[in-house]
């Protein structure tokens, strides 16, 4: 016999079930759920505004395009802050009616120099203890500090670097700690504030250091005091960061599921490390010895993050194949070596040897003096390689100063080469830029004239130097 429930029974059943979940409906979201907690990844945004420029055509120049190309008697046209065209000899260009035309006969044009390892602003001139703000030597792991909060825009070094053709630079914390903190990428324009110099949308970097420095600084302060202690410190920090990241991921899942979830307590140190694990922050690691660089690449694989660049890397030539295989750049000096044991095995052919192996080679300064003549540093490395039989064309060697550092910093889509659509960061040299006697004649940043050798009124003036004119300078 078929039993048909009464309408009353059905109604009562529906009413009862409605109290739990609604008749025929999904469970409602808890109306008491707190607002979702999220962290602003850019709390100190760039306020950079380009220097006013005008449409400009530079003709009859020798061009290094920054990516290995050379053009004789070429032309570069830029307007609205961007490179519009790079032309070969005899090739006509459509230009605006109000274009300024510069005859560059006898001159050379390159992309602006990018220094991916500088301490300007955090170790400014004059070098005094009160100005020393690059190393937070209070703990081996200080990933919570940000170099931009130490940058002093009045540092006269910025103007000196500009006169040497440097248009972009990365400011790093020092190398006392295993994790020294975040770096910041700046446009090299005179300004009152760090944020007015900050390169828009450039990824953050994080400074790490291996070798002698951390164990020297902390050997008698609780450690690490050995290289194995260094590695243990990295691994524990990465492990803590993984745990922190899992807690935030669990919070995100629970919140999306409609639960009244509580977010983890914010930890600025682990937040930066977690940013590296997520691929949002680039690792820049001070490391000299080949064996240590290979160990660090092993740690990188263990915790699934990417080292972007080894800095100084005086033994990079020994493991250039491994650097290429792991997609890690090396930022190097031309000829610094021997000033401590881990620098003892450096060679003058290091940069060209790394380049010849197909790995990413970069010339960096790490010096308020070297940054003023990075073109000459690259020239020294190029000539040392040539003498050793590593014959690299000059136009390829310029990659060490433009495209490769731009890739290291994650800004190659914006600058680092003379290509249509890129930012008009351009240097006009009064001769071959690999010559000791050549100077930067004009420096353009985003198409605006930031420096002119022949117009002293364009030279940046630091408030700090007013009334204290340096030798050879003009105020």
């Amino acid at each position: 016999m078929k039993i048909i429930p009464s309408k009353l029974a059905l109604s009562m059943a529906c009413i009862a079930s409605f109290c739990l979940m609604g008749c025929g409906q999904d469970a409602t979201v808890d109306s008491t759920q707190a607002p979702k907690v999220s962290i602003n990844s850019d709390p100190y945004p760039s306020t950079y505004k380009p220097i006013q420029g005008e449409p400009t055509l530079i003709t009859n120049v020798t061009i290094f395009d920054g990516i290995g190309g050379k053009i004789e008697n070429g032309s570069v046209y830029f307007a609205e802050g961007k490179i519009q065209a790079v032309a070969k000899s005899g090739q006509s260009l459509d230009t605006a009616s109000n274009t300024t035309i510069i005859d560059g006969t006898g001159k050379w044009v390159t992309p602006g120099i990018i220094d991916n390892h500088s301490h300007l602003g955090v170790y400014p001139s004059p070098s005094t203890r009160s100005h020393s703000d690059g190393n937070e030597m209070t703990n081996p792991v200080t990933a919570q500090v940000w170099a931009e909060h130490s940058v002093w825009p009045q540092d006269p070094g910025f103007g000196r670097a500009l006169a040497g053709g440097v248009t972009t630079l990365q400011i790093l914390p020092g190398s006392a700690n295993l994790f020294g903190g975040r770096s910041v990428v700046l446009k090299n324009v005179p300004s009152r504030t760090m944020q007015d110099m900050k390169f828009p949308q450039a990824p953050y970097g994080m400074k790490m250091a291996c070798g002698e420095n951390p164990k020297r600084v902390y050997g008698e302060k609780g450690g690490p005091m050995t290289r194995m202690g260094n590695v243990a410190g990295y691994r524990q920090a990465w492990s803590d960061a993984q745990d922190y990241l899992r807690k935030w991921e669990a919070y995100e899942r629970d919140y999306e599921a409609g639960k009244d979830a509580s977010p983890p307590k914010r930890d600025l140190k682990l937040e930066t490390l977690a940013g590296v694990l997520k691929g949002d922050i680039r690792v820049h690691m001070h490391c000299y010895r080949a064996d240590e660089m290979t160990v660090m690449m092993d740690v990188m694989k263990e915790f699934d993050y990417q080292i972007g660049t080894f800095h100084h890397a005086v033994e990079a030539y020994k493991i250039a194949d491994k650097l290429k295989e792991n997609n890690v750049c090396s930022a190097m000096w031309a000829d610094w070596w021997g000033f401590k044991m881990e620098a003892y095995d450096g060679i003058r052919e290091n940069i060209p040897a790394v380049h010849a192996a197909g790995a990413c080679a970069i010339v960096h300064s790490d010096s308020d003096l070297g940054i003023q003549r990075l073109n000459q540093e690259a020239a020294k490395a190029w000539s040392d390689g040539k003498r050793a039989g590593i014959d690299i064309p000059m136009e390829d060697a310029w990659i060490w100063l433009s495209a490769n550092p731009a890739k290291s910093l994650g800004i190659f889509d914006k600058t680092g080469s003379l290509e249509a659509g890129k930012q008009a960061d351009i240097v006009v040299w009064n001769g071959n830029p690999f010559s000791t006697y050549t100077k930067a004649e004009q420096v353009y940043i985003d198409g605006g004239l930031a420096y002119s050798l022949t117009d002293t009124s364009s030279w940046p003036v630091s408030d700090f130097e007013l009334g204290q004119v340096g030798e050879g300078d003009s105020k």
Side-chain angles (χ1 to χ4, degrees):
M1 181 176 65
K2 186 175 182 181
I3 300 175
I4 301 176
S6 69
K7 292 182 179 180
L8 177 60
L10 283 171
S11 297
M12 294 301 292
C14 187
I15 290 170
S17 62
F18 183 82
C19 294
L20 296 175
M21 58 176 291
C23 189
Q25 302 294 323
D26 293 333
T28 58
V29 175
D30 186 350
S31 62
T32 64
Q33 189 179 34
K36 186 176 180 181
V37 174
S38 58
I39 296 172
N40 182 3
S41 62
D42 189 21
Y44 310 102
S46 169
T47 53
Y48 167 76
K49 293 181 180 178
I51 299 169
Q52 187 68 35
E54 57 187 19
T56 303
L57 175 65
I58 305 173
T59 63
N60 303 317
V61 289
T62 302
I63 298 170
F64 288 165
D65 64 10
I67 50 176
K70 180 181 180 181
I71 301 174
E72 301 281 3
N73 295 315
S75 301
V76 179
Y77 173 53
F78 53 95
E80 298 179 350
K82 304 288 185 184
I83 296 168
Q84 303 296 324
V86 178
K88 297 179 180 178
S89 178
Q91 185 178 347
S92 62
L93 293 174
D94 293 328
T95 61
S97 58
N98 61 335
T99 297
T100 297
I101 300 176
I102 299 173
D103 182 359
T105 300
K107 302 184 188 342
W108 298 55
V109 168
T110 69
I113 293 174
I114 300 172
D115 188 358
N116 80 333
H117 190 118
S118 175
H119 299 295
L120 292 184
V122 298
Y123 285 117
S125 301
S127 180
T128 66
R129 185 169 183 176
S130 62
H131 273 169
S132 179
D133 289 309
N135 267 318
E136 181 63 27
M137 292 186 288
T138 55
N139 190 285
V141 180
T142 58
Q144 72 275 17
V145 302
W146 297 24
E148 64 194 65
H149 298 141
S150 282
V151 170
W152 187 47
Q154 291 187 51
D155 183 357
F158 287 118
R160 307 293 194 272
L162 182 64
V166 175
T167 55
T168 301
L169 60 167
Q170 176 179 223
I171 309 303
L172 290 153
S175 54
N177 301 344
L178 300 175
F179 297 85
R182 293 201 198 195
S183 66
V184 64
V185 180
L186 303 179
K187 288 277 195 175
N188 195 14
V189 293
S191 185
R192 297 170 299 167
T193 70
M194 169 279 300
Q195 282 175 269
D196 281 352
M197 302 173 72
K198 199 170 182 179
F199 195 117
Q201 300 178 329
Y204 276 112
M206 185 185 67
K207 176 70 174 291
M208 294 179 63
C210 61
E212 292 183 22
N213 285 14
K215 74 192 196 81
R216 183 188 71 247
V217 171
Y218 292 100
E220 296 181 1
K221 294 165 61 176
M225 65 178 298
T226 62
R227 283 179 164 83
M228 61 184 174
N230 285 353
V231 175
Y234 308 131
R235 296 180 71 216
Q236 186 60 62
W238 289 125
S239 179
D240 292 344
Q242 286 180 328
D243 184 58
Y244 183 71
L245 188 57
R246 283 191 290 266
K247 289 176 181 177
W248 274 99
E249 290 171 345
Y251 167 71
E252 294 273 351
R253 288 194 303 269
D254 288 347
Y255 192 92
E256 295 305 317
K259 299 179 182 179
D260 187 22
S262 296
K265 184 181 185 302
R266 191 175 180 188
D267 186 312
L268 298 180
K269 180 187 299 185
L270 296 176
E271 189 173 297
T272 292
L273 298 179
V276 174
L277 295 178
K278 291 189 293 183
D280 298 332
I281 299 175
R282 293 171 171 252
V283 171
H284 295 273
M285 187 155 200
H286 161 121
C287 217
Y288 286 70
R289 287 183 359 189
D291 60 306
E292 287 191 272
M293 287 186 271
T294 56
V295 168
M296 292 317 305
M297 287 188 285
D298 286 341
V299 174
M300 171 185 85
K301 293 171 185 175
E302 178 185 7
F303 291 95
D304 194 24
Y305 66 95
Q306 179 65 43
I307 296 172
T309 308
F310 284 122
H311 290 247
H312 311 330
V314 298
E315 293 186 11
Y317 66 96
K318 297 182 180 181
I319 54 165
D321 57 332
K322 294 182 182 295
L323 295 168
K324 178 183 177 182
E325 177 186 337
N326 288 281
N327 194 32
V328 180
C329 290
S330 295
M332 298 162 279
W333 296 296
D335 52 8
W336 289 23
W337 75 280
F339 48 91
K340 54 182 174 177
M341 284 305 300
E342 63 185 2
Y344 189 77
D345 226 5
I347 61 172
R348 296 173 65 96
E349 301 82 10
N350 193 23
I351 294 170
V354 170
H355 176 97
C360 170
I362 296 167
V363 175
H364 73 352
S365 74
D366 190 32
S367 163
D368 61 331
L369 299 178
I371 197 172
Q372 299 177 33
R373 52 189 69 86
L374 274 173
N375 61 311
Q376 294 180 27
E377 294 300 305
K380 287 191 292 185
W382 170 81
S383 62
D384 286 330
K386 192 175 181 68
R387 280 193 289 271
I390 307 173
D391 195 0
I392 299 169
M394 286 185 182
E395 57 267 31
D396 280 347
W398 197 265
I399 293 172
W400 306 338
L401 296 171
S402 57
N404 282 354
K407 292 174 182 177
S408 165
L409 300 178
I411 56 175
F412 184 60
D413 60 326
K414 301 176 180 66
T415 190
S417 62
L418 300 181
E419 298 178 273
K422 291 283 188 77
Q423 295 171 357
D425 298 338
I426 297 169
V427 182
V428 180
W429 304 87
N430 61 11
N432 185 327
F434 274 25
S435 167
T436 304
Y437 302 102
T438 292
K439 295 181 179 181
E441 198 164 273
Q442 285 93 31
V443 181
Y444 296 89
I445 299 178
D446 283 309
L449 183 61
Y451 171 84
S452 173
L453 178 64
T454 57
D455 179 8
T456 57
S457 67
S458 74
W459 296 5
V461 177
S462 165
D463 287 350
F464 188 81
E465 286 191 303
L466 287 176
Q468 305 179 84
V469 182
E471 184 178 355
D473 204 346
S474 174
K475 296 288 184 291

